[in-house]
Amino acid sequence: GCLVRDPGALEALARTSLLAFDKTGTLTSSTARLISIESDGVGTDEVLARAAGLERHSEHGLARAIAAAAAGRGLEPFATRDVRSVPGRGIRGNAGGQAAAAGNSALMSEIGWPLVPCLVERARALETSGHSVVYVGWSERVHAVLSLDDTPLPEARAMLEALRRRGLRVMLLTGDHEAAAQRIAAAVGIGTEDVQSALTPEDKRLALDRRRQDYGVLAMVGDGLNDGPVLAEADVGIAVGSATDLARETAAIVLPTGGLWMLPWVVDVARAVRRTILTNLMWAFGYNLLAVALAALGFLQPILAAAVMAGSSILVVLNSLQLERLPDPVLSSVPGRPLIAAEQAPNGELYGFPAVAGTHGG
């Protein structure tokens, strides 16, 4: 179920020493939920309808949550035109002849829209508690703050532990604020020193480039529109199945929807492929060097050399066919517990890591 779009991706993944992850929609559920709406006196339904009018044009996980919340209340989103995304900031448009925007505080500062002090205080309190915050404004002023909560995927922590057992280092690169990033990082087992927050797409690309000096071959896992540049910059870009079209187009490997837990197995496959390639090359070069030397000394007749060459080709093919013996990722007898191929428990039996029952099958 995994799509390899670049033939060189498997060899590069086998040599990867660090995997960087996006947060929203990658390590967290793609269905965040709206927690609260704080406004300067404007009705919450109006705030949500205006926000949904903008966010329904976005594929970001938080945007989908806002649009879903409006639909859940039976609200008709404001008709919004001239919508454009501001990478790493939010989204802007025009509703009813008035400029409208939804995004983070950096976006509001960038366009010069003032924030009511009471909203600033409330937003800071929400951010400190680890919630994601979206500012909503129109008529050149911020009128409300939406707080949203996204939960880590239940299999994310064990998946990251499986990657570490393979000698890989993992880190989190996100555009969300620090408190939200640290909350998710703690939940999935990523250390504070491996978390970078409040990053624009360009910041993510630069952060990955800086790490390349220490780690060599790097991989990036993401799902959003903002992940396109960094997926393209990484030696191996990996998109999850729910990713935006741009993320899938710029990624070298695409995992199926709900298939993030398969990533350690993909690493196993990549390493097995590379070992097979190296083994075949060593045999081919070794055989030819030996055969040429024997032929030069008169110990290898042409007819014998032709027969041995055919046998050599058969050995290479048979060695390559051993890759078909690699076990597929399967679910154990306990519902929802995916097994990762090539991991052995002390008793020699395959073991896996826990996930939510009934979800994320292969």
Side-chain angles (χ1 to χ4, degrees):
C2 302
L3 175 63
V4 180
R5 304 181 68 250
D6 178 2
L10 286 180
E11 185 175 2
L13 183 60
R15 297 184 292 114
T16 296
S17 55
L18 182 144
L19 276 85
F21 289 82
D22 176 48
K23 180 179 77 70
T24 306
T26 302
L27 291 179
T28 67
S29 170
S30 59
T31 54
R33 59 192 181 94
L34 181 67
I35 301 297
S36 66
I37 301 175
E38 305 288 339
S39 73
D40 59 358
V42 180
T44 57
D45 283 354
E46 181 182 354
V47 170
L48 190 54
R50 287 181 177 275
L54 286 164
E55 301 291 14
R56 65 178 177 172
H57 297 279
S58 172
E59 293 184 288
H60 194 277
L62 299 183
R64 290 195 294 266
I66 293 172
R73 294 192 185 189
L75 301 176
E76 183 67 26
F78 271 55
T80 308
R81 303 166 57 185
D82 302 325
V83 178
R84 66 182 182 91
S85 176
V86 183
R89 297 283 190 265
I91 194 166
R92 299 182 63 179
N94 189 291
Q98 297 178 326
N104 55 24
S105 57
L107 173 63
M108 300 307 168
S109 299
E110 188 177 285
I111 60 181
W113 289 8
L115 282 76
V116 179
C118 64
L119 288 180
V120 174
E121 293 177 5
R122 182 57 182 157
R124 287 175 178 170
L126 291 168
E127 289 178 344
T128 301
S129 65
H131 290 101
S132 298
V133 170
V134 175
Y135 296 85
V136 182
W138 60 91
S139 300
E140 300 184 355
R141 177 180 169 185
V142 177
H143 288 277
V145 176
L146 310 182
S147 65
L148 301 101
D149 187 30
D150 53 352
T151 56
L153 291 174
E155 69 270 29
R157 186 183 188 95
M159 180 273 298
L160 294 175
E161 290 174 354
L163 291 174
R164 291 193 187 95
R165 287 195 293 272
R166 288 157 172 77
L168 296 167
R169 184 164 185 174
V170 296
M171 66 179 300
L172 180 65
L173 301 178
T174 177
D176 214 338
H177 60 85
E178 183 177 359
Q182 292 293 350
R183 179 177 68 86
I184 296 298
V188 300
I190 297 178
T192 303
E193 69 280 1
D194 290 320
V195 178
Q196 290 186 248
S197 56
L199 301 177
T200 65
E202 179 64 13
D203 291 336
K204 289 183 180 181
R205 190 187 67 80
L206 293 175
L208 202 64
D209 193 50
R210 285 192 295 270
R211 294 280 180 146
R212 182 174 282 111
Q213 299 175 9
D214 298 323
Y215 293 94
V217 182
L218 308 178
M220 176 72 193
V221 187
D223 85 315
L225 188 66
N226 293 337
D227 298 324
V230 69
L231 288 175
E233 173 69 18
D235 299 289
V236 185
I238 303 172
V240 295
S242 58
T244 62
D245 290 340
L246 178 60
R248 284 194 291 264
E249 283 299 314
T250 54
I253 298 176
V254 181
L255 303 180
T257 301
L260 185 66
W261 63 270
M262 297 172 68
L263 186 53
W265 173 79
V266 174
V267 172
D268 289 341
V269 171
R271 290 178 174 179
V273 168
R274 186 167 187 267
R275 282 196 302 270
T276 301
I277 291 172
L278 294 177
T279 302
N280 287 343
L281 286 174
M282 289 174 60
W283 166 255
F285 277 108
Y287 162 78
N288 281 283
L289 287 174
L290 180 61
V292 167
L294 291 175
L297 296 173
F299 296 112
L300 188 61
Q301 299 303 315
I303 188 65
L304 181 60
V308 175
M309 189 65 193
S312 173
S313 298
I314 291 174
L315 285 176
V316 168
V317 171
L318 291 176
N319 186 48
S320 300
L321 286 175
Q322 290 189 77
L323 289 170
E324 291 194 347
R325 299 174 59 187
L326 288 173
D328 292 334
V330 295
L331 296 178
S332 70
S333 58
V334 180
R337 286 175 58 93
L339 292 175
I340 298 303
E343 287 204 24
Q344 300 287 331
N347 60 4
E349 296 179 357
L350 281 172
Y351 70 96
F353 55 79
V356 167
T359 63
H360 304 298

